[in-house]
Amino acid sequence: MEPFRFHLFVCTQQKPEGVPSCPASGSFAVLGALDHEIQARGLGKDVQLTTCGCMGLCDEGPVMVVYPAGVWYRRVKAADVSEIVGAHLGDGKPIERLVWNDAAAMKAMAVEHGEKYREAMAMRDKAGTLPDRLDQMIRGYWPSRCLLTALEFDIFTAIGEGGNAAQIGTKIHANARAVGTLLNALVALGVLSKSGDVYKNTPESARFFVEGSKDNHRNGLLHIANIWHRWSTLTDAVRSGTRVPIGRDDTSEWTRDFIAGMQRNAKDRGPLVVKALGTAGVRRILDLGGGSGAYSIAFAKASPEVRCEILDVPEVVPLTTEYVSQASVSGQVSLRAGDMLHGDFGSGYDLIMLNAICHMFSPEQNRDIFLRARRALAPKGRLVVQDFILNPEKTGPQHAALFSLNMLVSTDAGASYSEPEYAEWMKAAGFAEVSRIDLHGPSSLIVGLVK
Ligand SMILES: C[S@@+](CC[C@H](N)C(=O)[O-])C[C@H]1O[C@@H](n2cnc3c(N)ncnc32)[C@H](O)[C@@H]1O
Ligand code: FES
């Protein structure tokens, strides 16, 4: 059975640097070009494009196979793709000069590759070599630190239309030799290109990291650069059981980066949350720790009848005001400076939101917030928690488990929590029903309903 007219398999098996592989020969560029060309020619419904692992023909990569006929292509270049899609997938005529049909040679090569691979693995195992997966995890911070430093210097903006290490070093007030070393590493990571001694942004870095680009993420990403310093205290935090002061996180700059970092995620998730919860029966919303106000803004935009109140700490409220006014919803969204850990929330709300809040606090603090929130809700009102929810064993998903450490190094008693924990706190606070809504992405909603 073949549900598609053609089914393409493109090898994208990553291998250690220096080892021949299809990605090293450009299979990702081929894959991207195939996807683009197939869609552009309106063949998306007839052609299934799939990535696959090593086929043992790595020296001849990029390798791809077209089924159901089993036509093998080798050494495919992105420049060949238009011809392959037009003639083979469009008119059913394979491109003979790229087809590889020496079955005996292919089989011999694949079998030899398999034998060599197993032999190499056995030797490594015997010698007690650290597995690549562990080795890469241990050094995982190298690329990350490299990019974070580049963002801290705003190096991509300084590069502009291009420049050499000395010119860029002068612009960012840094040592030319060291800047050159950093720039070369950024080229190796694929976020810059180099021709002669001139460095240029790639289309990707120009889009996402350069001041003035509409999709520039730098401001939001600087929050991750700030948290880097906290992660450096992880060993001490594990020893002591709580965050270790580092004296660099109470500045107004830190707060601005932090809220920009929150907005970076929340602005895209806002409409998803509105869609998941709906606006039927929702008139008054309390957005606890609203940050950039992205969720209130999304609700206000979705329904002119909705009124939102955002409660946040005094240092953040002026920043929230900026975001709300930029979104032109000031008439529907009001702001209140205060501390959600104490005091009455008011009454008569249809929805109270805790987006990315509970992980900052201890179980006792969350129980107390849930109780005060339940009292502030109208009949049929809902308390909504959005967070990275752990499995009952607290061992996954991976992002939620690692995020819990992020909270260990950044808060007094925060952590990621599991669905049974949230459900138990909601029940104890008197919510009649508790349900979970999974959104696309790493966070989910836990919804408590008042009778
Ligand atoms: C992780 S951010 C989440 C922001 C926003 N809800 C979102 O999802 O984008 C946490 C927010 O809670 C605020 N916050 C922290 N402690 C607070 C407290 N005790 N009272 C009120 N707001 C607080 C912070 O200032 C920040 O805006
Ligand atoms: S890596 Fe593609 S065939 Fe081996």
Side-chain angles (χ1 to χ4, degrees):
M1 188 205 78
E2 178 53 75
F4 297 95
R5 190 160 159 243
F6 293 108
H7 193 158
L8 275 64
F9 290 88
V10 180
C11 172
T12 54
Q13 176 78 58
Q14 304 270 10
K15 301 211 168 180
E17 239 180 350
V19 177
S21 72
C22 293
S25 315
S27 66
F28 279 103
V30 171
L31 184 72
L34 279 167
D35 186 43
H36 179 267
E37 198 67 29
I38 289 166
Q39 299 309 324
R41 290 179 189 254
L43 296 171
K45 289 202 172 111
D46 296 327
V47 179
Q48 177 76 335
L49 180 60
T50 313
T51 58
C52 69
C54 181
M55 297 188 259
L57 306 166
C58 328
D59 287 325
E60 300 291 326
V63 176
M64 70 179 236
V65 195
V66 183
Y67 285 111
V71 177
W72 291 67
Y73 286 102
R74 63 173 160 174
R75 299 188 187 186
V76 181
K77 302 260 170 302
D80 301 320
V81 162
S82 170
E83 198 182 350
I84 293 174
V85 175
H88 191 162
L89 309 184
D91 303 333
K93 293 179 189 135
I95 310 300
E96 292 305 332
R97 73 184 161 79
L98 296 170
V99 169
W100 194 12
N101 51 18
D102 187 346
M106 289 158 73
K107 189 170 171 184
M109 190 183 280
V111 169
E112 189 190 342
H113 176 276
E115 283 168 1
K116 277 192 181 160
Y117 175 77
R118 278 183 285 278
E119 203 179 298
M121 286 298 127
M123 272 173 68
R124 285 180 58 146
D125 190 48
K126 199 168 166 201
T129 306
L130 192 66
D132 290 339
R133 187 182 70 87
L134 296 182
D135 196 44
Q136 277 163 17
M137 232 192 287
I138 296 285
R139 290 176 214 279
Y141 67 92
W142 286 14
S144 163
R145 185 59 254 179
C146 196
L147 265 172
L148 293 176
T149 292
L151 289 168
E152 283 178 341
F153 276 116
D154 204 359
I155 229 166
F156 302 98
T157 303
I159 288 170
E161 294 306 309
N164 63 31
Q167 290 164 334
I168 295 159
T170 305
K171 279 195 195 169
I172 64 170
H173 308 291
N175 176 277
R177 184 188 74 86
V179 169
T181 308
L182 176 62
L183 292 169
N184 287 336
L186 292 167
V187 174
L189 289 173
V191 291
L192 291 180
S193 65
K194 185 179 184 184
S195 169
D197 67 349
V198 174
Y199 298 89
K200 288 197 168 172
N201 284 303
T202 60
E204 198 177 47
S205 58
R207 177 175 175 197
F208 295 114
F209 301 149
V210 171
E211 182 73 45
S213 160
K214 107 176 152 44
D215 294 328
N216 180 21
H217 280 243
R218 178 178 174 263
N219 290 346
L221 293 171
L222 284 177
H223 172 56
I224 297 172
N226 291 339
I227 304 186
W228 163 274
H229 300 286
R230 294 215 144 276
W231 273 85
S232 300
T233 68
L234 180 59
T235 307
D236 288 336
V238 168
R239 192 172 290 119
S240 71
T242 187
R243 71 169 163 169
V244 177
I246 56 170
R248 35 184 315 154
D249 52 4
D250 287 318
T251 64
S252 59
E253 215 176 9
W254 193 97
T255 306
R256 186 169 278 277
D257 292 344
F258 173 51
I259 297 302
M262 296 304 106
Q263 202 257 357
R264 200 172 70 84
N265 295 324
K267 73 174 173 13
D268 296 338
R269 297 187 71 69
L272 295 181
V273 170
V274 174
K275 193 168 170 214
L277 297 172
T279 53
V282 179
R283 295 286 177 277
R284 290 188 61 210
I285 297 179
L286 178 62
D287 187 355
L288 293 171
S292 71
Y295 293 98
S296 287
I297 291 169
F299 268 101
K301 288 195 164 169
S303 164
E305 287 162 9
V306 164
R307 295 290 174 271
C308 305
E309 287 168 54
I310 299 178
L311 174 77
D312 212 303
V313 296
E315 312 83 86
V316 168
V317 166
L319 302 172
T320 318
T321 309
E322 280 179 37
Y323 285 104
V324 170
S325 123
Q326 270 165 25
S328 309
V329 289
S330 306
Q332 287 174 262
V333 180
S334 61
L335 286 111
R336 209 198 310 170
D339 179 359
M340 75 172 97
L341 291 175
H342 301 104
D344 217 38
F345 291 141
S347 62
Y349 294 103
D350 302 305
L351 196 64
I352 297 185
M353 295 194 287
L354 288 165
N355 291 302
I357 298 298
C358 299
H359 58 235
M360 294 187 296
F361 300 131
S362 68
E364 295 70 31
Q365 288 170 319
N366 284 319
R367 279 177 188 277
D368 181 53
I369 292 172
F370 285 17
L371 195 61
R372 284 179 290 123
R374 211 256 310 134
R375 288 188 194 132
L377 282 163
K380 305 275 176 228
R382 288 174 291 174
L383 173 66
V384 177
V385 169
Q386 183 186 178
D387 227 302
F388 309 121
I389 315 284
L390 282 168
N391 60 26
E393 298 77 29
K394 301 199 172 193
T395 53
Q398 194 183 83
H399 183 81
L402 291 177
F403 192 82
S404 210
L405 289 176
N406 197 37
M407 288 300 100
L408 175 68
V409 296
S410 338
T411 64
D412 291 336
S416 298
Y417 297 106
S418 67
E419 185 177 343
E421 283 175 301
Y422 282 117
E424 207 262 303
W425 302 339
M426 287 211 180
K427 291 273 179 194
F431 287 92
E433 275 173 36
V434 181
S435 56
R436 173 178 178 150
I437 304 174
D438 287 321
L439 303 169
H440 184 70
S443 58
S444 301
L445 305 179
I446 305 282
V447 183
L449 178 72
V450 176
K451 248 194 192 155

